[in-house]
PDB file of all heavy atoms in Angstrom:
ATOM      1  N   ILE A 403     -12.243 -96.651 -84.996  1.00 94.00           N
ATOM      2  CA  ILE A 403     -11.731 -96.696 -86.375  1.00 94.00           C
ATOM      3  C   ILE A 403     -12.626 -95.883 -87.273  1.00 94.00           C
ATOM      4  O   ILE A 403     -13.896 -96.042 -87.253  1.00 94.00           O
ATOM      5  CB  ILE A 403     -11.630 -98.175 -86.875  1.00 94.00           C
ATOM      6  CG1 ILE A 403     -10.692 -98.975 -86.010  1.00 94.00           C
ATOM      7  CG2 ILE A 403     -11.212 -98.201 -88.332  1.00 94.00           C
ATOM      8  CD1 ILE A 403      -9.235 -98.576 -86.065  1.00 94.00           C
ATOM      9  N   ALA A 404     -12.118 -95.067 -88.117  1.00 94.00           N
ATOM     10  CA  ALA A 404     -12.879 -94.192 -89.007  1.00 94.00           C
ATOM     11  C   ALA A 404     -13.160 -94.921 -90.315  1.00 94.00           C
ATOM     12  O   ALA A 404     -12.254 -95.584 -90.876  1.00 94.00           O
ATOM     13  CB  ALA A 404     -12.099 -92.920 -89.318  1.00 94.00           C
ATOM     14  N   PHE A 405     -14.413 -94.833 -90.788  1.00 96.00           N
ATOM     15  CA  PHE A 405     -14.787 -95.536 -91.999  1.00 96.00           C
ATOM     16  C   PHE A 405     -15.506 -94.587 -92.958  1.00 96.00           C
ATOM     17  O   PHE A 405     -16.329 -93.714 -92.500  1.00 96.00           O
ATOM     18  CB  PHE A 405     -15.790 -96.669 -91.705  1.00 96.00           C
ATOM     19  CG  PHE A 405     -15.236 -97.834 -90.926  1.00 96.00           C
ATOM     20  CD1 PHE A 405     -15.325 -97.761 -89.519  1.00 96.00           C
ATOM     21  CD2 PHE A 405     -14.618 -98.884 -91.541  1.00 96.00           C
ATOM     22  CE1 PHE A 405     -14.830 -98.890 -88.772  1.00 96.00           C
ATOM     23  CE2 PHE A 405     -14.101 -99.962 -90.777  1.00 96.00           C
ATOM     24  CZ  PHE A 405     -14.233 -99.900 -89.430  1.00 96.00           C
ATOM     25  N   THR A 406     -15.306 -94.728 -94.258  1.00 95.00           N
ATOM     26  CA  THR A 406     -16.215 -94.231 -95.283  1.00 95.00           C
ATOM     27  C   THR A 406     -16.657 -95.509 -96.057  1.00 95.00           C
ATOM     28  O   THR A 406     -15.884 -96.456 -96.170  1.00 95.00           O
ATOM     29  CB  THR A 406     -15.573 -93.243 -96.218  1.00 95.00           C
ATOM     30  OG1 THR A 406     -14.474 -93.883 -96.928  1.00 95.00           O
ATOM     31  CG2 THR A 406     -15.101 -92.028 -95.515  1.00 95.00           C
ATOM     32  N   PHE A 407     -17.823 -95.436 -96.662  1.00 94.00           N
ATOM     33  CA  PHE A 407     -18.384 -96.611 -97.305  1.00 94.00           C
ATOM     34  C   PHE A 407     -18.670 -96.300 -98.739  1.00 94.00           C
ATOM     35  O   PHE A 407     -19.751 -95.704 -99.078  1.00 94.00           O
ATOM     36  CB  PHE A 407     -19.655 -97.094 -96.578  1.00 94.00           C
ATOM     37  CG  PHE A 407     -19.450 -97.405 -95.139  1.00 94.00           C
ATOM     38  CD1 PHE A 407     -20.031 -96.692 -94.131  1.00 94.00           C
ATOM     39  CD2 PHE A 407     -18.579 -98.433 -94.799  1.00 94.00           C
ATOM     40  CE1 PHE A 407     -19.846 -97.012 -92.768  1.00 94.00           C
ATOM     41  CE2 PHE A 407     -18.362 -98.769 -93.449  1.00 94.00           C
ATOM     42  CZ  PHE A 407     -18.981 -98.064 -92.435  1.00 94.00           C
ATOM     43  N   HIS A 408     -17.793 -96.651 -99.675  1.00 86.00           N
ATOM     44  CA  HIS A 408     -18.008 -96.390-101.097  1.00 86.00           C
ATOM     45  C   HIS A 408     -19.122 -97.279-101.599  1.00 86.00           C
ATOM     46  O   HIS A 408     -19.307 -98.401-101.119  1.00 86.00           O
ATOM     47  CB  HIS A 408     -16.692 -96.680-101.824  1.00 86.00           C
ATOM     48  CG  HIS A 408     -15.658 -95.633-101.531  1.00 86.00           C
ATOM     49  ND1 HIS A 408     -14.508 -95.518-102.282  1.00 86.00           N
ATOM     50  CD2 HIS A 408     -15.577 -94.669-100.631  1.00 86.00           C
ATOM     51  CE1 HIS A 408     -13.782 -94.496-101.864  1.00 86.00           C
ATOM     52  NE2 HIS A 408     -14.396 -93.970-100.801  1.00 86.00           N
ATOM     53  N   GLY A 409     -19.776 -96.828-102.621  1.00 78.00           N
ATOM     54  CA  GLY A 409     -20.834 -97.643-103.223  1.00 78.00           C
ATOM     55  C   GLY A 409     -22.207 -97.386-102.598  1.00 78.00           C
ATOM     56  O   GLY A 409     -23.212 -97.955-103.101  1.00 78.00           O
ATOM     57  N   THR A 410     -22.279 -96.566-101.578  1.00 82.00           N
ATOM     58  CA  THR A 410     -23.592 -96.212-101.013  1.00 82.00           C
ATOM     59  C   THR A 410     -24.043 -94.907-101.587  1.00 82.00           C
ATOM     60  O   THR A 410     -23.300 -94.089-102.155  1.00 82.00           O
ATOM     61  CB  THR A 410     -23.508 -96.098 -99.477  1.00 82.00           C
ATOM     62  OG1 THR A 410     -22.584 -95.058 -99.163  1.00 82.00           O
ATOM     63  CG2 THR A 410     -23.019 -97.422 -98.842  1.00 82.00           C
ATOM     64  N   ILE A 411     -25.344 -94.636-101.488  1.00 80.00           N
ATOM     65  CA  ILE A 411     -25.900 -93.319-101.876  1.00 80.00           C
ATOM     66  C   ILE A 411     -25.327 -92.292-100.984  1.00 80.00           C
ATOM     67  O   ILE A 411     -25.192 -92.384 -99.804  1.00 80.00           O
ATOM     68  CB  ILE A 411     -27.456 -93.335-101.801  1.00 80.00           C
ATOM     69  CG1 ILE A 411     -28.029 -94.463-102.695  1.00 80.00           C
ATOM     70  CG2 ILE A 411     -28.014 -91.999-102.131  1.00 80.00           C
ATOM     71  CD1 ILE A 411     -29.514 -94.607-102.557  1.00 80.00           C
ATOM     72  N   ASP A 412     -24.837 -91.142-101.606  1.00 85.00           N
ATOM     73  CA  ASP A 412     -24.258 -90.029-100.899  1.00 85.00           C
ATOM     74  C   ASP A 412     -23.019 -90.449-100.099  1.00 85.00           C
ATOM     75  O   ASP A 412     -22.804 -89.969 -98.991  1.00 85.00           O
ATOM     76  CB  ASP A 412     -25.289 -89.375 -99.935  1.00 85.00           C
ATOM     77  CG  ASP A 412     -26.377 -88.670-100.679  1.00 85.00           C
ATOM     78  OD1 ASP A 412     -26.117 -88.202-101.823  1.00 85.00           O
ATOM     79  OD2 ASP A 412     -27.488 -88.534-100.145  1.00 85.00           O
ATOM     80  N   ALA A 413     -22.254 -91.416-100.648  1.00 89.00           N
ATOM     81  CA  ALA A 413     -21.078 -91.847 -99.945  1.00 89.00           C
ATOM     82  C   ALA A 413     -20.105 -90.743 -99.585  1.00 89.00           C
ATOM     83  O   ALA A 413     -19.355 -90.807 -98.601  1.00 89.00           O
ATOM     84  CB  ALA A 413     -20.372 -92.932-100.797  1.00 89.00           C
ATOM     85  N   ASP A 414     -20.067 -89.675-100.399  1.00 91.00           N
ATOM     86  CA  ASP A 414     -19.106 -88.599-100.200  1.00 91.00           C
ATOM     87  C   ASP A 414     -19.544 -87.651 -99.041  1.00 91.00           C
ATOM     88  O   ASP A 414     -18.897 -86.758 -98.702  1.00 91.00           O
ATOM     89  CB  ASP A 414     -18.956 -87.790-101.475  1.00 91.00           C
ATOM     90  CG  ASP A 414     -17.699 -86.924-101.442  1.00 91.00           C
ATOM     91  OD1 ASP A 414     -16.672 -87.440-100.984  1.00 91.00           O
ATOM     92  OD2 ASP A 414     -17.731 -85.765-101.877  1.00 91.00           O
ATOM     93  N   ARG A 415     -20.762 -87.992 -98.426  1.00 93.00           N
ATOM     94  CA  ARG A 415     -21.254 -87.108 -97.365  1.00 93.00           C
ATOM     95  C   ARG A 415     -21.308 -87.841 -96.023  1.00 93.00           C
ATOM     96  O   ARG A 415     -21.859 -87.364 -95.060  1.00 93.00           O
ATOM     97  CB  ARG A 415     -22.665 -86.614 -97.760  1.00 93.00           C
ATOM     98  CG  ARG A 415     -22.662 -85.797 -98.985  1.00 93.00           C
ATOM     99  CD  ARG A 415     -24.120 -85.400 -99.413  1.00 93.00           C
ATOM    100  NE  ARG A 415     -24.784 -84.529 -98.468  1.00 93.00           N
ATOM    101  CZ  ARG A 415     -25.812 -84.880 -97.701  1.00 93.00           C
ATOM    102  NH1 ARG A 415     -26.292 -86.121 -97.771  1.00 93.00           N
ATOM    103  NH2 ARG A 415     -26.348 -84.014 -96.856  1.00 93.00           N
ATOM    104  N   GLU A 416     -20.735 -89.064 -95.967  1.00 95.00           N
ATOM    105  CA  GLU A 416     -20.808 -89.862 -94.735  1.00 95.00           C
ATOM    106  C   GLU A 416     -19.402 -90.338 -94.314  1.00 95.00           C
ATOM    107  O   GLU A 416     -18.657 -90.847 -95.140  1.00 95.00           O
ATOM    108  CB  GLU A 416     -21.709 -91.068 -94.943  1.00 95.00           C
ATOM    109  CG  GLU A 416     -23.028 -90.829 -95.635  1.00 95.00           C
ATOM    110  CD  GLU A 416     -23.998 -90.036 -94.759  1.00 95.00           C
ATOM    111  OE1 GLU A 416     -23.666 -89.632 -93.628  1.00 95.00           O
ATOM    112  OE2 GLU A 416     -25.122 -89.753 -95.234  1.00 95.00           O
ATOM    113  N   GLY A 417     -19.074 -90.176 -93.076  1.00 95.00           N
ATOM    114  CA  GLY A 417     -17.852 -90.671 -92.477  1.00 95.00           C
ATOM    115  C   GLY A 417     -18.044 -90.930 -91.051  1.00 95.00           C
ATOM    116  O   GLY A 417     -18.404 -89.959 -90.247  1.00 95.00           O
ATOM    117  N   VAL A 418     -17.953 -92.147 -90.571  1.00 95.00           N
ATOM    118  CA  VAL A 418     -18.330 -92.511 -89.174  1.00 95.00           C
ATOM    119  C   VAL A 418     -17.168 -93.095 -88.430  1.00 95.00           C
ATOM    120  O   VAL A 418     -16.246 -93.680 -88.978  1.00 95.00           O
ATOM    121  CB  VAL A 418     -19.499 -93.505 -89.192  1.00 95.00           C
ATOM    122  CG1 VAL A 418     -20.739 -92.828 -89.740  1.00 95.00           C
ATOM    123  CG2 VAL A 418     -19.188 -94.776 -89.920  1.00 95.00           C
ATOM    124  N   VAL A 419     -17.197 -92.994 -87.099  1.00 94.00           N
ATOM    125  CA  VAL A 419     -16.217 -93.554 -86.185  1.00 94.00           C
ATOM    126  C   VAL A 419     -16.986 -94.303 -85.107  1.00 94.00           C
ATOM    127  O   VAL A 419     -17.276 -93.708 -84.037  1.00 94.00           O
ATOM    128  CB  VAL A 419     -15.324 -92.466 -85.595  1.00 94.00           C
ATOM    129  CG1 VAL A 419     -14.175 -93.139 -84.774  1.00 94.00           C
ATOM    130  CG2 VAL A 419     -14.759 -91.587 -86.679  1.00 94.00           C
ATOM    131  N   PRO A 420     -17.320 -95.562 -85.305  1.00 96.00           N
ATOM    132  CA  PRO A 420     -18.040 -96.318 -84.272  1.00 96.00           C
ATOM    133  C   PRO A 420     -17.247 -96.414 -82.980  1.00 96.00           C
ATOM    134  O   PRO A 420     -16.013 -96.459 -83.022  1.00 96.00           O
ATOM    135  CB  PRO A 420     -18.347 -97.658 -84.925  1.00 96.00           C
ATOM    136  CG  PRO A 420     -17.348 -97.786 -86.039  1.00 96.00           C
ATOM    137  CD  PRO A 420     -17.108 -96.383 -86.457  1.00 96.00           C
ATOM    138  N   ASP A 421     -17.912 -96.442 -81.856  1.00 95.00           N
ATOM    139  CA  ASP A 421     -17.259 -96.645 -80.541  1.00 95.00           C
ATOM    140  C   ASP A 421     -16.450 -97.930 -80.565  1.00 95.00           C
ATOM    141  O   ASP A 421     -15.365 -97.998 -79.968  1.00 95.00           O
ATOM    142  CB  ASP A 421     -18.243 -96.634 -79.422  1.00 95.00           C
ATOM    143  CG  ASP A 421     -18.884 -95.219 -79.255  1.00 95.00           C
ATOM    144  OD1 ASP A 421     -18.154 -94.228 -79.422  1.00 95.00           O
ATOM    145  OD2 ASP A 421     -20.048 -95.168 -78.851  1.00 95.00           O
ATOM    146  N   LEU A 422     -16.965 -98.891 -81.213  1.00 97.00           N
ATOM    147  CA  LEU A 422     -16.410-100.233 -81.253  1.00 97.00           C
ATOM    148  C   LEU A 422     -16.854-100.951 -82.469  1.00 97.00           C
ATOM    149  O   LEU A 422     -18.012-100.704 -82.932  1.00 97.00           O
ATOM    150  CB  LEU A 422     -16.870-101.033 -79.947  1.00 97.00           C
ATOM    151  CG  LEU A 422     -16.124-102.280 -79.568  1.00 97.00           C
ATOM    152  CD1 LEU A 422     -14.740-101.948 -78.998  1.00 97.00           C
ATOM    153  CD2 LEU A 422     -16.941-103.027 -78.502  1.00 97.00           C
ATOM    154  N   CYS A 423     -15.999-101.806 -83.024  1.00 98.00           N
ATOM    155  CA  CYS A 423     -16.485-102.571 -84.204  1.00 98.00           C
ATOM    156  C   CYS A 423     -15.704-103.889 -84.239  1.00 98.00           C
ATOM    157  O   CYS A 423     -14.563-103.988 -83.754  1.00 98.00           O
ATOM    158  CB  CYS A 423     -16.253-101.808 -85.517  1.00 98.00           C
ATOM    159  SG  CYS A 423     -14.542-101.470 -85.938  1.00 98.00           S
ATOM    160  N   TYR A 424     -16.318-104.900 -84.838  1.00 98.00           N
ATOM    161  CA  TYR A 424     -15.759-106.183 -85.118  1.00 98.00           C
ATOM    162  C   TYR A 424     -15.513-106.317 -86.587  1.00 98.00           C
ATOM    163  O   TYR A 424     -16.494-106.167 -87.373  1.00 98.00           O
ATOM    164  CB  TYR A 424     -16.638-107.325 -84.575  1.00 98.00           C
ATOM    165  CG  TYR A 424     -16.343-108.670 -85.155  1.00 98.00           C
ATOM    166  CD1 TYR A 424     -15.115-109.271 -84.932  1.00 98.00           C
ATOM    167  CD2 TYR A 424     -17.265-109.336 -85.961  1.00 98.00           C
ATOM    168  CE1 TYR A 424     -14.818-110.500 -85.488  1.00 98.00           C
ATOM    169  CE2 TYR A 424     -17.023-110.579 -86.510  1.00 98.00           C
ATOM    170  CZ  TYR A 424     -15.789-111.161 -86.263  1.00 98.00           C
ATOM    171  OH  TYR A 424     -15.495-112.397 -86.822  1.00 98.00           O
ATOM    172  N   ILE A 425     -14.286-106.583 -87.008  1.00 98.00           N
ATOM    173  CA  ILE A 425     -13.949-106.741 -88.425  1.00 98.00           C
ATOM    174  C   ILE A 425     -13.531-108.189 -88.666  1.00 98.00           C
ATOM    175  O   ILE A 425     -12.570-108.658 -88.141  1.00 98.00           O
ATOM    176  CB  ILE A 425     -12.774-105.765 -88.777  1.00 98.00           C
ATOM    177  CG1 ILE A 425     -13.179-104.328 -88.448  1.00 98.00           C
ATOM    178  CG2 ILE A 425     -12.412-105.915 -90.279  1.00 98.00           C
ATOM    179  CD1 ILE A 425     -11.999-103.347 -88.617  1.00 98.00           C
ATOM    180  N   PRO A 426     -14.279-108.922 -89.511  1.00 98.00           N
ATOM    181  CA  PRO A 426     -13.967-110.286 -89.772  1.00 98.00           C
ATOM    182  C   PRO A 426     -12.714-110.405 -90.699  1.00 98.00           C
ATOM    183  O   PRO A 426     -12.346-109.471 -91.402  1.00 98.00           O
ATOM    184  CB  PRO A 426     -15.185-110.849 -90.440  1.00 98.00           C
ATOM    185  CG  PRO A 426     -15.796-109.660 -91.083  1.00 98.00           C
ATOM    186  CD  PRO A 426     -15.512-108.496 -90.202  1.00 98.00           C
ATOM    187  N   ASN A 427     -12.104-111.598 -90.691  1.00 97.00           N
ATOM    188  CA  ASN A 427     -10.864-111.819 -91.444  1.00 97.00           C
ATOM    189  C   ASN A 427     -11.041-111.546 -92.937  1.00 97.00           C
ATOM    190  O   ASN A 427     -10.109-111.123 -93.645  1.00 97.00           O
ATOM    191  CB  ASN A 427     -10.378-113.258 -91.236  1.00 97.00           C
ATOM    192  CG  ASN A 427      -9.849-113.511 -89.844  1.00 97.00           C
ATOM    193  OD1 ASN A 427      -9.420-112.562 -89.167  1.00 97.00           O
ATOM    194  ND2 ASN A 427      -9.937-114.726 -89.360  1.00 97.00           N
ATOM    195  N   ASP A 428     -12.249-111.809 -93.488  1.00 96.00           N
ATOM    196  CA  ASP A 428     -12.408-111.655 -94.931  1.00 96.00           C
ATOM    197  C   ASP A 428     -12.338-110.212 -95.387  1.00 96.00           C
ATOM    198  O   ASP A 428     -12.327-109.939 -96.616  1.00 96.00           O
ATOM    199  CB  ASP A 428     -13.698-112.329 -95.418  1.00 96.00           C
ATOM    200  CG  ASP A 428     -14.958-111.698 -94.831  1.00 96.00           C
ATOM    201  OD1 ASP A 428     -14.832-110.636 -94.154  1.00 96.00           O
ATOM    202  OD2 ASP A 428     -16.056-112.291 -95.009  1.00 96.00           O
TER     203      ASP A 428
END
Side-chain angles (χ1 to χ4, degrees):
I403 299 294
F405 295 92
T406 61
F407 301 117
H408 289 194
T410 61
I411 298 174
D412 292 332
D414 198 42
R415 299 174 65 248
E416 313 291 1
V418 296
V419 187
D421 291 325
L422 195 71
C423 66
Y424 162 63
I425 303 172
N427 289 334
D428 63 9

